[in-house]
């Protein structure tokens, strides 16, 4: 099993990517739990992707795929390709609403790609983050006061 990891930064000379885009770092957090990889089921989870572009006028989107126990749970992506007009540093983020995920351990794959005409994948980093979601059993989560095992 892989260890839990809420953030990863790459040194400049090891950043994954191609001649156009480099992945600088990724992280996930909840308010009050920055840096933690064990997260409260009731609270939103924010995933952030930091990257730099090496050329002007690049048009692409970021995507994140969550997996658990070897199965893809869901994928999310920016709804439209965005032009990054100037070379430089950028951040994209995704929000997972509280009570969407079941208790369990999840891994996150990040991808940055263009898809107009033909798909060009600038970055693909599988299972780069790994976190656990727990339910405090307060009665306020999506399971209410149901205390038996809940699949999904």
């Amino acid at each position: 099993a892989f260890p839990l990891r809420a953030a990863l930064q790459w040194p400049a000379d090891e950043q994954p990517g191609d001649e156009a885009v480099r992945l600088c770092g990724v992280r996930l957090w909840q308010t009050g739990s920055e840096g933690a990889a064990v997260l409260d089921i009731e609270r939103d989870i924010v995933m952030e992707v930091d990257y730099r572009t090496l050329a002007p006028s690049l048009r692409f989107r970021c995507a994140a795929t969550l997996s658990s126990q070897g199965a893809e749970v869901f994928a999310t992506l920016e709804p439209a390709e965005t032009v990054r007009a100037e070379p430089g540093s950028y951040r994209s983020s995704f929000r997972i609403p509280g009570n969407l995920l079941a208790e369990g351990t999840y891994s996150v794959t990040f991808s940055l790609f263009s898809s107009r005409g033909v798909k060009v994948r600038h970055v693909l980093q599988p299972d780069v983050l790994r976190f656990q979601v727990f339910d405090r059993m307060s009665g306020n989560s999506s399971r209410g006061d149901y205390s038996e095992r809940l699949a999904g």
Side-chain angles (χ1 to χ4, degrees):
F2 298 104
L4 299 180
R5 179 170 48 206
L8 182 60
Q9 286 289 132
W10 286 271
D13 62 341
E14 295 178 22
Q15 292 172 346
D18 62 12
E19 67 283 346
V21 181
R22 296 296 170 96
L23 186 60
C24 302
V26 293
R27 74 181 190 124
L28 56 88
W29 57 273
Q30 290 180 318
T31 302
S33 299
E34 285 79 2
V38 179
L39 304 172
D40 186 339
I41 200 169
E42 294 180 31
R43 296 172 43 214
D44 291 357
I45 299 169
V46 177
M47 298 183 293
E48 294 178 334
V49 184
D50 292 327
Y51 50 92
R52 62 188 173 100
T53 60
L54 307 174
S57 302
L58 289 175
R59 175 186 223 103
F60 61 92
R61 71 179 83 217
C62 296
T65 303
L66 269 70
S67 300
S68 182
Q69 299 177 358
E72 189 172 297
V73 176
F74 73 85
T76 185
L77 52 82
E78 294 175 314
E81 291 186 3
T82 302
V83 175
R84 280 68 174 190
E86 298 296 326
S89 297
Y90 295 88
R91 173 176 286 164
S92 294
S93 63
F94 305 96
R95 185 182 62 84
I96 302 171
N99 292 313
L100 178 67
L101 301 175
E103 273 190 306
T105 302
Y106 297 86
S107 64
V108 186
T109 295
F110 289 101
S111 176
L112 287 73
F113 63 93
S114 304
S115 58
R116 301 221 168 210
V118 65
K119 190 171 197 172
V120 175
R121 189 171 311 274
H122 301 290
V123 176
L124 177 62
Q125 279 301 120
D127 303 321
V128 69
L129 297 180
R130 191 167 169 84
F131 65 99
Q132 186 175 20
V133 173
F134 75 95
D135 191 335
R136 294 177 289 119
M137 298 303 295
S138 66
N140 295 321
S141 71
S142 58
R143 75 165 57 224
D145 64 359
Y146 180 74
S147 62
E148 299 297 320
R149 185 179 180 328
L150 187 61

